[in-house]
Amino acid sequence: MATFSGADQKWLVETAQGLIVKDPAAAKAWLLTARALFPRDFGIQYQSYCIAKTSRNLKEAAKLLYDLFIQFHHEATLWQELHCITMAMQSDQSDSYTSFLSELFETLPKQAQHDILLQVAEHTNDTLAHCKLQLLLLNKFSSAVVTHGVKLIETLANAEKMHNDKNPVNCFRKLLVCDVLPIILSNTDVMCTSKQLYKWLQKSTEFYISYVIRSKSADNKTNNPGFKSPLKSPDASSQRFSYIEGLSEKDGLVENPWGSLHNLLILTGNRLAWNMDNIVPTDRNCRQQLLYLSRVYKATNKMALSDTLKAAHIKPILYSLILLFFQCLHGYLKYKDPEQFVGIGSPGSQQGMLVLLHNVEVATKKKKDRSEHKKAKLEKQDDMGDTAKETIGVWGMNKDKGELLEVFSTAVNSWQLLAADEAFDKDFNWLLHHWKAERWTWFVSFQIDMAIYTGDTPKALIMLEDGQETGSAQGQIEALLQLASCFLAMKHYQKACDMALEAVAKLPETTETKTPSLEDAKSGNNLQFVSCTPTYILPFCIKLILMCYKKIFMSGGVNEIALGHMIVMMQYDWPKEEKLFTQVIEVIMQQGTFTYTEFFKYTINIDILEEVAFLKTDEGGKVDLDLLPHLVTQQRTRTVTRGVTKGGEEDFKTALEKQMARYDDNLLSILKLFLTDDKSSVKEALVL
């Protein structure tokens, strides 16, 4: 509130205020008189301004405010008012009072606007508020960009350091990257060193990567009700909203982040005198962008250039590759784990996340130099788009399979092109180390998938074993599945079986009765993206464990319990497993006996039941079967063995009829019960 230098001044203002409603002309006359009598009294001049502002007299209020700024710029009350005006200019609200204050400021002379913004910023102790005012100054006055632009960038960078904010998605970095840098780089009069330009580009790249590729679990990293998530997914297709602490919803939202980063790359390249033809155009799909970069890279390597000229040709390729790699990686993650990286309504409409696994049918086949052949195809850049489609199947995704495979293979091939050049590899790894990329769980997950895809199974195993005990329950299931898959590919059948059983034990219960198709397993793909849900994972584990048994069976190393376990698991993919079943039956007939007391607990397939029952007949070889559980009753104790008694024959027939009546039961539930309750037996029976 303004103070008056005497009672007379106060009386004059109060008299004018009392006349405002009933006689505005008289009130104005009293104020003019007061201002004329006491031109150096701040209280009278300020109250005149307040009355004009309350009356929404824009021109009068602007003139009075300008006079106040010129004559009384040391008054604290005036600075409070100027601060309110500048806050209104930055506000997301659109009420009449806020709009009036903004119009009031715009009515002031341009030089006054410039000086007010500059001095209000200097009077502001809060660093973020100071930087926002400086940004407002740069947006309104191009001359201020040269004087204050670089200094503002340094202020924002230092503020981020002082706040010790390890998350690059913070209010200071956002203002620096999205708001200040485009203004600075667009003004060629601002002097910047090459070192500064590269530093700013690296900070920008880290910000946009972290802003876009961020999972929901990272947002909800604490249950503290006072915690404010630094970011909720910015993806346009998401039904979540962006939030950066310290900024309003409007200021915290980054529209088209990948496009903004590409634009920043162009602005930086122009300032660094790069060969701009080596920055990939964005008006083409990701595969075409990689082909473009591959070709300009090969052409550049053939040129005889000095170190300075070579940098101008190579650096745009490097940063274009990095941008393309992370953009494709983001696209891949949206399909791989839509719940975490997109939100409601996944792009591929699949059930749950996807996990990359070896095709059980293909992984154990002897294919000479298969991984070397695959690597050679990957290195042939012109064929990269088709390689993934030939190599990977997708199981549990209803649409957009082609796009999933394209963004994944392009990310892999971008990585390989970066790694193929010594200078690229050095710079890229320095950036990853500087960004502490080892903390990005999604990045490590991609590296594992890439190792599996390129045939580097030992590397995938090392990374999986290092992170096996960490992560969410779903993440642990994914790790167990990939461990089982990799061990199978390396023919470590016991370990593969153990990991698959552990994965099954962690699966939640399912009421799904429909058995999914195994078409992808028949297609000959080396790998499969499999939906990480019980409906799809349980069949995969059944097939994997059965394959482990099959490999040992073919070497003649299984016992009766193992044969029984194989028969139970063969039910899932019947009649495809009929050939293997016939081989098992032949072994049983050669032995003449077969003991497996869990048979009637888990077997409901009518064909299998009939074939096993046929073994008891003369035509079937009159095999002695011990398939009934050993029963103990209160009236009598009787062990039923090999069906030699009349009672045993009746019990066998009853059990057979009972199981045949269950043919329509949920087979997946039965097999999950088998792999859970008989887990130890399944492990022990796999004798190496």
Side-chain angles (χ1 to χ4, degrees):
M1 177 180 288
T3 57
F4 302 94
S5 56
D8 292 339
Q9 293 90 320
K10 185 177 181 180
W11 177 81
L12 285 168
V13 171
E14 288 177 347
T15 301
Q17 287 176 330
L19 294 170
I20 287 177
V21 176
K22 60 182 180 181
D23 193 349
K28 186 174 182 179
W30 277 99
L31 282 173
L32 288 171
T33 301
R35 289 169 57 197
L37 290 172
F38 305 101
R40 303 302 299 170
D41 188 282
F42 173 73
I44 287 178
Q45 305 299 328
Y46 186 77
Q47 286 301 319
S48 298
Y49 159 73
C50 290
I51 290 172
K53 183 178 71 170
T54 304
S55 303
R56 294 293 195 271
N57 189 331
L58 186 62
K59 290 184 178 181
E60 180 70 15
K63 180 180 181 303
L64 291 170
L65 180 63
Y66 177 71
D67 291 341
L68 285 167
F69 178 69
I70 296 299
Q71 299 180 45
F72 304 101
H73 58 270
H74 294 300
E75 291 286 344
T77 302
L78 175 62
W79 286 112
Q80 291 174 8
E81 177 67 12
L82 292 174
H83 178 73
C84 290
I85 292 172
T86 56
M87 289 293 292
M89 294 172 64
Q90 301 172 72
S91 175
D92 293 341
Q93 298 178 2
S94 58
D95 57 89
S96 59
Y97 181 67
T98 301
S99 299
F100 176 80
L101 291 181
S102 297
E103 291 176 21
L104 175 62
F105 182 86
E106 295 296 337
T107 307
L108 294 171
K110 290 296 181 181
Q111 187 60 44
Q113 294 180 26
H114 177 279
D115 294 344
I116 286 172
L117 286 174
L118 186 60
Q119 292 186 40
V120 171
E122 291 175 353
H123 278 76
T124 303
N125 294 323
D126 181 78
T127 306
L128 181 59
H130 168 84
C131 292
K132 286 182 178 179
L133 287 168
Q134 289 272 355
L135 174 60
L136 191 58
L137 178 68
L138 300 190
N139 276 317
K140 291 185 70 66
F141 301 98
S142 59
S143 60
V145 176
V146 178
T147 310
H148 304 286
V150 175
K151 184 180 176 181
L152 177 56
I153 290 178
E154 292 171 351
T155 301
L156 287 165
N158 290 331
E160 184 178 353
K161 286 182 182 178
M162 288 181 63
H163 283 74
N164 196 27
D165 201 332
K166 296 180 180 179
N167 179 10
V169 183
N170 58 72
C171 55
F172 302 109
R173 182 78 70 91
K174 191 273 174 184
L175 290 179
L176 191 158
V177 169
C178 304
D179 302 308
V180 179
L181 265 182
I183 298 173
I184 305 299
L185 296 176
S186 299
N187 192 321
T188 55
D189 293 330
V190 179
M191 301 302 295
C192 308
T193 66
S194 295
K195 184 178 179 180
Q196 286 175 318
L197 291 168
Y198 278 115
K199 183 179 179 180
W200 298 340
L201 180 58
Q202 291 158 10
K203 280 184 172 291
S204 301
T205 305
E206 181 189 21
F207 170 82
Y208 280 114
I209 291 169
S210 302
Y211 181 89
V212 176
I213 311 179
R214 188 175 178 85
S215 68
K216 187 193 297 182
S217 59
D219 294 333
N220 301 324
K221 61 183 178 182
T222 177
N223 292 323
N224 183 351
F227 171 77
K228 293 183 179 180
S229 168
L231 173 68
K232 295 179 182 178
S233 172
D235 193 281
S237 62
S238 170
Q239 295 188 26
R240 290 176 279 156
F241 297 93
S242 171
Y243 178 81
I244 300 177
E245 190 170 4
L247 299 179
S248 66
E249 182 178 322
K250 178 182 177 181
D251 289 341
L253 182 64
V254 180
E255 298 287 349
N256 188 19
W258 294 122
S260 299
L261 179 54
H262 186 266
N263 181 59
L264 212 56
L265 184 62
I266 292 174
L267 290 172
T268 303
N270 282 322
R271 298 299 297 270
L272 288 166
W274 282 353
N275 178 359
M276 301 307 290
D277 290 337
N278 286 2
I279 293 182
V280 63
T282 56
D283 58 345
R284 54 192 72 190
N285 63 37
C286 62
R287 183 189 174 215
Q288 291 170 338
Q289 289 185 47
L290 184 55
L291 288 172
Y292 181 93
L293 289 172
S294 176
R295 287 165 183 164
V296 296
Y297 169 75
K298 291 173 183 177
T300 301
N301 276 343
K302 294 177 182 179
M303 297 179 182
L305 302 170
S306 65
D307 290 344
T308 303
L309 284 176
K310 187 171 184 179
H313 283 74
I314 284 294
K315 289 296 184 181
I317 301 174
L318 169 64
Y319 281 95
S320 291
L321 268 174
I322 292 172
L323 172 55
L324 177 62
F325 166 71
F326 281 107
Q327 190 171 358
C328 289
L329 178 54
H330 176 232
Y332 168 59
L333 291 170
K334 289 195 296 181
Y335 288 108
K336 177 181 171 66
D337 196 353
E339 175 64 22
Q340 288 295 320
F341 290 95
V342 177
I344 303 171
S346 66
S349 302
Q350 74 264 20
Q351 303 176 36
M353 65 183 291
L354 296 173
V355 54
L356 183 62
L357 304 169
H358 291 87
N359 186 332
V360 171
E361 297 293 327
V362 179
T364 56
K365 290 182 179 179
K366 293 182 180 180
K367 288 191 176 182
K368 187 177 180 181
D369 300 324
R370 182 177 58 202
S371 62
E372 286 77 5
H373 172 67
K374 189 195 305 180
K375 287 181 181 178
K377 291 188 73 177
L378 288 169
E379 290 167 1
K380 189 178 180 183
Q381 300 294 334
D382 289 345
D383 290 336
M384 15 177 126
D386 297 328
T387 303
K389 294 178 182 178
E390 295 172 4
T391 307
I392 308 177
V394 184
W395 192 27
M397 183 176 177
N398 298 330
K399 61 179 181 178
D400 297 332
K401 298 179 183 180
E403 186 173 344
L404 162 67
L405 299 179
E406 181 171 302
V407 292
F408 175 64
S409 62
T410 305
V412 170
N413 284 288
S414 299
W415 175 287
Q416 291 188 326
L417 186 52
L418 286 165
D421 183 280
E422 185 177 351
F424 282 4
D425 188 54
K426 181 180 177 181
D427 289 349
F428 185 44
N429 279 292
W430 183 89
L431 286 173
L432 293 177
H433 175 74
H434 181 69
W435 295 337
K436 296 181 174 58
E438 67 277 1
R439 298 186 306 181
W440 299 340
T441 54
W442 48 264
F443 188 67
V444 176
S445 176
F446 167 76
Q447 288 181 299
I448 293 170
D449 290 348
M450 180 171 62
I452 292 173
Y453 176 57
T454 57
D456 196 352
T457 308
K459 180 180 179 181
L461 275 175
I462 292 171
M463 297 180 72
L464 285 164
E465 289 175 331
D466 285 346
Q468 184 182 352
E469 300 301 323
T470 60
S472 63
Q474 187 80 346
Q476 291 179 23
I477 292 174
E478 179 186 7
L480 288 168
L481 290 168
Q482 290 192 314
L483 280 167
S485 172
C486 289
F487 280 130
L488 179 70
M490 296 184 71
K491 299 179 173 53
H492 296 167
Y493 301 124
Q494 183 72 61
K495 290 183 178 180
C497 179
D498 290 350
M499 294 299 104
L501 287 168
E502 292 299 326
V504 171
K506 290 180 179 291
L507 288 177
E509 294 296 328
T510 178
T511 57
E512 184 68 44
T513 58
K514 184 179 178 181
T515 302
S517 169
L518 286 173
E519 288 184 5
D520 283 303
K522 301 175 183 178
S523 66
N525 297 123
N526 295 333
L527 303 168
Q528 295 171 293
F529 278 115
V530 181
S531 176
C532 198
T533 57
T535 305
Y536 293 91
I537 292 307
L538 187 55
F540 174 83
C541 290
I542 293 167
K543 289 182 66 63
L544 184 144
I545 296 169
L546 180 58
M547 180 59 73
C548 294
Y549 269 82
K550 181 179 179 180
K551 292 299 177 181
I552 305 304
F553 171 75
M554 293 303 180
S555 65
V558 295
N559 54 32
E560 284 186 313
I561 300 299
L563 293 175
H565 290 341
M566 289 175 69
I567 291 174
V568 170
M569 289 185 284
M570 285 179 212
Q571 295 178 97
Y572 177 74
D573 205 10
W574 190 268
K576 182 182 176 183
E577 302 293 353
E578 191 170 4
K579 182 179 178 181
L580 177 60
F581 176 72
T582 301
Q583 293 173 319
V584 170
I585 292 297
E586 289 174 357
V587 171
I588 293 173
M589 292 176 68
Q590 290 172 8
Q591 294 178 172
T593 63
F594 180 50
T595 300
Y596 186 64
T597 57
E598 299 294 313
F599 180 80
F600 285 117
K601 183 177 180 181
Y602 301 117
T603 309
I604 62 171
N605 182 285
I606 293 178
D607 291 341
I608 292 176
L609 289 167
E610 288 179 343
E611 288 294 328
V612 172
F614 181 70
L615 293 175
K616 292 174 62 69
T617 66
D618 292 337
E619 295 86 349
K622 209 169 185 180
V623 177
D624 287 336
L625 300 178
D626 184 4
L627 305 181
L628 294 169
H630 295 175
L631 305 175
V632 179
T633 65
Q634 291 181 344
Q635 290 82 8
R636 57 194 173 96
T637 301
R638 180 183 69 180
T639 301
V640 181
T641 60
R642 308 199 188 282
V644 295
T645 65
K646 183 178 180 182
E649 292 285 356
E650 293 173 353
D651 288 343
F652 183 90
K653 182 179 179 182
T654 301
L656 191 66
E657 292 173 349
K658 179 181 177 183
Q659 292 306 104
M660 286 186 172
R662 294 180 57 199
Y663 75 94
D664 205 26
D665 283 8
N666 188 331
L667 181 60
L668 280 179
S669 295
I670 293 172
L671 294 178
K672 185 176 187 298
L673 182 67
F674 162 68
L675 294 175
T676 304
D677 288 1
D678 286 60
K679 176 180 173 183
S680 298
S681 176
V682 174
K683 283 185 177 184
E684 294 167 3
L686 191 63
V687 181
L688 297 179

